[in-house]
Structure formats: structure tokens, C-alpha cells
Amino acid sequence: NMQMAEFRDRMRGWGWQGENYSMPLLVFGDDTGVVRKCVHVLREEGFTSVTNARTRAEISAALKRPPTHIRGPAGKDGGD
């Protein structure tokens, strides 16, 4: 477990000092409150492409779903 201050410091080093602040970041975890805080910290630090993917279970479910072009538009086949 990492404290939020340590997380912020590490991301500053990786982001600004390493010039990675525009790299896409996908943030997820088991505690949605912590995930929200991390997303907020990253955006506060100037990261420009941060996505809150919520939980590991939601990512797993999304990866198992067929792509939209295969399952059709929403509502057509009972999909999303």
C-alpha cells in the first residue's frame, strides 16, 4: 500500500521529469474511493489523459464483451 503523498511524488517524477504527462493512464483498483482520489491527484498534477476504469472486475467484464462492431448498436441485440 502506498500513501497518497508518495503516489503524488512518484507520479511527478515519472510524469513531469520523465515528460510522460501526456501518456494515457488507466486507473483502477478494488477501492473505488482510492481510485477516484488517484484520478483527482493525477489531473491536479497536470496529466492530460487519465481514465477512471473503476474496478478490476469492471475491466475484466469489459474485456470479455465482444467489440461494438460485432455485437451491433446498443438496444439492437439487447447489448449495452
Side-chain angles (χ1 to χ4, degrees), residues 26-54:
L26 184 65
V27 183
F28 65 93
D30 296 324
D31 184 331
T32 56
V34 171
V35 171
R36 277 194 308 271
K37 286 179 188 176
C38 289
V39 168
H40 178 74
V41 165
L42 289 166
R43 289 183 178 151
E44 220 174 46
E45 290 298 324
F47 285 84
T48 58
S49 184
V50 180
T51 301
N52 181 346
R54 298 182 189 99

